[in-house]
Amino acid sequence: GTLNIGSRPAKRNPKGGIESLRAIPWTFAWTQTRTHLSAWLGVADALNVDGADLEGLQDMYKNWPWFREIIDLVAMVLSKTDFSISQNYDDQLVDKTEELTSLGKEVRERLVNTRKSVLKVTESTDVAGPHVALLRASSKIRNPYVDPINIIQAEILKRFRASSDEVEKEILQDALRVSIGGISQGLRNSG
């Protein structure tokens, strides 16, 4: 891309489509939109069981430290997702075709199902798990500052895509770089 914020090109093949995108920019993009897709996609499919299988996973969560840590890390990432921020990026930037609209809806439905699956396995009422106190305190301080940056970033991207004025595009690129840094710093990670 033209922002050049990574140490490597965003794509393995500059002329390729999404299939040639490297993992780091893919994850980075989902982090910036507060969806964190690559950290939880597929987890609900693995945990969505009932009866003896669910009891087995609950027992593993209680008695297997490695399994508990994985589930707690997924729960921590889930607690950093923000449904409304993610929806705003879709509303501002995604073409209003049935295919793309339904894809965004499906991603958010899968997010909800992943949260429910994690809660079933952990037998908890809060997806943040053991990290909840620290995350809540941290989010309470940071989110009022980071949320508006996400909203502004979506608007910057929308204006950048619509602009044909090269001077305006340069200004918007600079603003986009600042918003990327602000979100990364505010979330305390880049993906």
Side-chain angles (χ1 to χ4, degrees):
T2 58
L3 284 176
N4 194 25
I5 58 173
S7 62
R8 295 183 182 166
K11 292 182 176 183
R12 295 180 191 285
N13 176 359
K15 296 181 193 242
I18 196 167
E19 71 281 352
S20 67
L21 194 62
R22 292 180 186 272
I24 292 172
W26 173 260
T27 300
F28 180 78
W30 287 112
T31 300
Q32 285 281 301
T33 64
R34 309 263 279 278
T35 309
H36 301 279
L37 181 80
S38 58
W40 58 261
L41 186 64
V43 171
D45 295 329
L47 300 180
N48 193 13
V49 296
D50 289 311
D53 290 335
L54 176 59
E55 290 172 14
L57 290 176
Q58 290 168 336
D59 183 61
M60 287 170 63
Y61 181 77
K62 290 174 191 165
N63 297 306
W64 295 18
W66 185 81
F67 183 75
R68 181 175 46 253
E69 186 63 23
I70 288 174
I71 298 300
D72 287 347
L73 286 171
V74 169
M76 188 251 316
V77 170
L78 288 171
S79 71
K80 290 182 174 185
T81 62
D82 190 306
F83 198 92
S84 62
I85 295 289
S86 173
Q87 177 72 52
N88 182 61
Y89 279 91
D90 278 7
D91 292 345
Q92 295 293 323
L93 300 168
V94 175
D95 292 335
K96 304 301 181 239
T97 65
E98 177 61 33
E99 181 182 23
L100 293 177
T101 303
S102 64
L103 178 61
K105 184 178 177 185
E106 180 185 349
V107 166
R108 282 183 290 283
E109 285 173 2
R110 286 178 179 244
L111 172 59
V112 169
N113 290 337
T114 303
R115 287 179 177 175
K116 288 177 181 176
S117 296
V118 167
L119 291 175
K120 279 174 44 178
V121 169
T122 61
E123 299 178 273
S124 177
T125 57
D126 195 320
V127 76
H131 310 284
V132 69
L134 178 60
L135 278 174
R136 276 221 180 97
S138 181
S139 294
K140 192 174 185 179
I141 293 167
R142 289 183 285 119
N143 283 359
Y145 299 99
V146 180
D147 291 355
I149 299 173
N150 280 111
I151 304 298
I152 291 167
Q153 184 183 72
E155 181 64 27
I156 292 167
L157 285 165
K158 180 179 171 184
R159 289 182 186 191
F160 182 83
R161 288 178 177 179
S163 179
S164 58
D165 181 340
E166 290 304 315
V167 174
E168 181 183 31
K169 285 185 109 156
E170 275 188 45
I171 292 168
L172 291 169
Q173 273 189 332
D174 288 343
L176 186 56
R177 281 188 195 97
V178 171
S179 72
I180 288 168
I183 293 167
S184 296
Q185 291 295 318
L187 295 178
R188 299 182 63 188
N189 68 39
S190 60

